[in-house]
Amino acid sequence: MLDISDKYSHTSSQIVTEDISDDDSPLLSCTSFQDMRSDHLLPDFRSPANACPPRKRYVSVRGKFMLAQMGAILWVMFSLWIALPWIISLADIFGWVLTVFAIGGMAIVPGYISGLILFSVMLDNRPKVLPAENYPSISILIAAYNEEGVISDTLHSIISQAYPGVLEIIVIDDGSKDDTAGMVRRLNDPRIRLIVQPKNGGKASALNTGLENATHAIIITIDADTYLYRDALQHIVGRYLNDPENTVAVAGAIAVRNSRASWVTRFQEWDYFHGIAVVKRVQSLYQGTLVAQGAFSLYERDVVRALGGWPPCVGEDIVLSWAMLKKGYRIGYAENAVVFTNVPETYNQLFLQRRRWARGMFEALRAHPDILLTRRISLQFVLINMLFPWLDITYLFFFIPGIIAAFFGIFLLAGPVTLFLIPLALVNNAIIYIVQRKMFRERGLKVRKNLRGFLIYIFFSQLMMAPASLAGYGSELFRLSKVWGTK
């Protein structure tokens, strides 16, 4: 078996040793893999016949970042040039401070973010994950609370994985009041260990219990209602083995399992497929995925232990991820390690979940404020996250009233910059769809028809998310009582 500690024990002369955030070379070159094999750092990933494919022209991470920035900034400048007379007329009525606040939050910054995502996705040509001869032993941690209806399916999806290494599955029953523990015991599989906590201590407490009992150097967290698609474990571990050596966590790809349960789940299917997935893809392109989500992510056990485990807060995965980034570690993203999870089926459940996510971001900033001083390309995404309250406020209190007024013939706020977001959004969504559909087809998956959910996602998702986000920001700002509240 591969000893994961060897990933850090030596450095080949041709392996990139500078800060990955400023990397101007391929993540791992063909010669780098050969040198690593000669030093016995990693097993022979490729046969001699295919050891060195012809090298293609390579654009560095920094080069892609600069190109995407140029494209986004040029788009914003063009929009401003077209809309300048309208902006000046607004300033004559409302003053420059309010005009800049409103137009910047509802049009300029969203246009820049959309442009950055568009050009980044177009430049993203991630290398294939090379298969390993030996895969490391892994410990899978599942925190479960009142999950008797889904835990069996989740465990069956893990057991049926054709993972080449040793599996240890630790289920932590966090004081469930139903028969969750009984459902686990009935499986009677020697790879499954059940730990029952007499009282409900929260997800972080359950995961830390699993962390203490994990035997292997690599741990993977999986939500109790998450179903692993074929070879998900092999893909997420493969991404970890192929990523730069300072990678200590890898986020998997989450898709919606119960998408036909309600209109709320229908639009969330597109949110996960289009929104969340592409944001992680872009962040990983620039060596800085911001969150290794608890639903399905890989971590190095000893790093998590050194950071104190999962903190007791509602956004424990976000806070832990930012602690890793602050230390200079890297979090990867395995876009083809697909799992399916159950999402909230009512708007009230969704509101509670997204409020928790928004609060978790501010918890992370409160816990790790010096991440803003960490010099790396991915710092931009942290800074963009800090702008979300502004964007949500201007969306709710300027953009929506402006659209309503436009229906009555008053086009004061629905101006040229706002209208320029429409073609950009259409192109953005088309390209994202093509990229995601390609990945799905490679994994033997099909994008199901869901036009109603797509239309709700495009036109109304932010209207439903923004109030929940503002509630989350406010609850952390005023230190209100913390409630898990995902379902």
Side-chain angles (χ1 to χ4, degrees):
M1 293 299 169
L2 173 65
D3 183 2
I4 295 303
S5 62
D6 286 347
K7 190 174 181 180
Y8 297 94
S9 59
H10 301 84
T11 303
S12 166
S13 61
Q14 297 193 37
I15 297 176
V16 178
T17 57
E18 61 180 306
D19 186 352
I20 292 301
S21 63
D22 295 329
D23 189 7
D24 284 327
S25 304
L27 297 184
L28 283 177
S29 67
C30 175
T31 53
S32 296
F33 273 113
Q34 291 175 334
D35 290 346
M36 292 170 78
R37 290 199 301 272
S38 66
D39 289 341
H40 306 290
L41 296 183
L42 290 174
D44 190 356
F45 282 8
R46 292 173 287 188
S47 63
N50 299 318
C52 252
R55 186 170 184 145
K56 297 180 180 179
R57 182 179 297 275
Y58 177 78
V59 179
S60 70
V61 171
R62 184 178 294 277
K64 292 177 181 178
F65 182 74
M66 295 305 297
L67 287 173
Q69 291 285 352
M70 289 174 57
I73 292 172
L74 287 173
W75 176 266
V76 170
M77 291 176 64
F78 175 72
S79 301
L80 286 173
W81 176 66
I82 294 293
L84 190 58
W86 169 64
I87 296 174
I88 293 174
S89 66
L90 278 181
D92 291 338
I93 300 173
F94 299 111
W96 277 105
V97 173
L98 187 59
T99 297
V100 170
F101 180 84
I103 302 303
M106 70 178 185
I108 297 174
V109 174
Y112 166 77
I113 294 173
S114 296
L116 180 65
I117 290 175
L118 171 63
F119 292 109
S120 297
V121 170
M122 293 172 64
L123 291 166
D124 186 19
N125 185 24
R126 55 191 59 219
K128 294 289 186 182
V129 172
L130 302 171
E133 283 191 354
N134 297 299
Y135 282 81
S137 303
I138 56 178
S139 295
I140 296 175
L141 311 183
I142 305 174
Y145 177 68
N146 293 344
E147 302 284 4
E148 67 175 359
V150 293
I151 190 66
S152 292
D153 280 353
T154 297
L155 290 172
H156 278 300
S157 75
I158 298 171
I159 294 169
S160 63
Q161 294 279 304
Y163 183 69
V166 174
L167 289 182
E168 174 187 49
I169 306 169
I170 303 175
V171 180
I172 308 95
D173 185 336
D174 189 27
S176 295
K177 295 178 176 63
D178 63 3
D179 195 32
T180 297
M183 298 299 291
V184 175
R185 291 189 184 100
R186 291 185 188 98
L187 289 176
N188 195 28
D189 189 292
R191 293 171 291 182
I192 300 176
R193 296 170 56 194
L194 174 65
I195 300 174
V196 178
Q197 298 193 146
K199 293 183 179 180
N200 177 252
K203 188 174 183 180
S205 171
L207 289 175
N208 286 328
T209 298
L211 179 64
E212 293 173 5
N213 288 273
T215 304
H216 305 303
I218 295 299
I219 58 176
I220 294 178
T221 61
I222 299 174
D223 276 357
D225 61 353
T226 296
Y227 187 91
L228 275 66
Y229 184 63
R230 184 180 65 241
D231 296 329
L233 292 178
Q234 192 166 340
H235 281 292
I236 197 169
V237 173
R239 171 57 64 190
Y240 165 76
L241 296 177
N242 280 255
D243 271 3
E245 64 177 14
N246 69 333
T247 301
V248 299
V250 178
I254 312 295
V256 175
R257 187 180 184 188
N258 58 335
S259 62
R260 297 303 182 263
S262 69
W263 66 269
V264 176
T265 60
R266 279 182 173 273
F267 92 78
Q268 285 180 86
E269 181 173 51
W270 286 103
D271 186 31
Y272 279 79
F273 181 73
H274 257 221
I276 296 174
V278 77
V279 167
K280 287 189 179 295
R281 178 184 283 268
V282 171
Q283 290 175 351
S284 67
L285 169 63
Y286 301 125
Q287 312 294 340
T289 306
L290 290 190
V291 182
Q293 72 282 337
F296 182 49
S297 287
L298 174 152
Y299 307 86
E300 288 190 3
R301 180 196 60 189
D302 293 343
V303 171
V304 177
R305 286 178 175 175
L307 294 172
W310 284 269
C313 58
V314 298
E316 76 288 327
D317 49 359
I318 304 175
V319 178
L320 175 61
S321 297
W322 284 28
M324 293 175 174
L325 296 173
K326 185 180 69 173
K327 291 288 186 181
Y329 294 125
R330 179 186 179 276
I331 299 173
Y333 174 59
E335 75 284 350
N336 58 354
V338 181
V339 301
F340 291 85
T341 194
N342 290 327
V343 298
E345 296 183 2
T346 67
Y347 179 67
N348 182 60
Q349 294 171 347
L350 178 66
F351 183 95
L352 294 175
Q353 182 197 61
R354 298 309 169 102
R355 183 183 68 179
R356 179 180 69 83
W357 289 8
R359 182 168 189 169
M361 182 184 71
F362 272 74
E363 285 179 327
L365 183 62
R366 190 187 296 276
H368 307 292
D370 42 347
I371 194 174
L372 298 174
L373 304 177
T374 305
R375 293 185 58 189
R376 57 194 304 166
I377 293 178
S378 60
L379 175 61
Q380 170 167 355
F381 300 113
V382 177
L383 297 176
I384 288 176
N385 277 7
M386 297 301 99
L387 298 178
F388 285 170
W390 172 31
L391 303 186
D392 288 329
I393 289 172
T394 54
Y395 177 82
L396 285 177
F397 298 105
F398 292 93
F399 180 78
I400 294 300
I403 294 297
I404 294 173
F407 280 103
F408 294 93
I410 304 172
F411 296 94
L412 193 62
L413 291 177
V417 178
T418 309
L419 296 177
F420 263 95
L421 291 175
I422 297 175
L424 182 60
L426 291 175
V427 174
N428 220 339
N429 280 284
I431 291 177
I432 291 170
Y433 177 80
I434 292 170
V435 170
Q436 286 292 95
R437 184 182 62 179
K438 178 183 177 183
M439 183 275 291
F440 258 45
R441 287 179 173 176
E442 290 174 350
R443 295 289 286 115
L445 291 165
K446 182 180 179 181
V447 181
R448 296 188 297 183
K449 292 181 179 180
N450 183 8
L451 179 60
R452 182 176 19 154
F454 180 72
L455 293 176
I456 296 173
Y457 168 70
I458 291 294
F459 294 108
F460 300 106
S461 62
Q462 191 173 353
L463 181 61
M464 290 182 284
M465 304 294 194
S469 296
L470 289 176
Y473 308 144
S475 61
E476 180 61 19
L477 179 64
F478 296 107
R479 302 293 187 96
L480 302 181
S481 59
K482 298 184 178 184
V483 181
W484 180 255
T486 56
K487 298 177 183 176

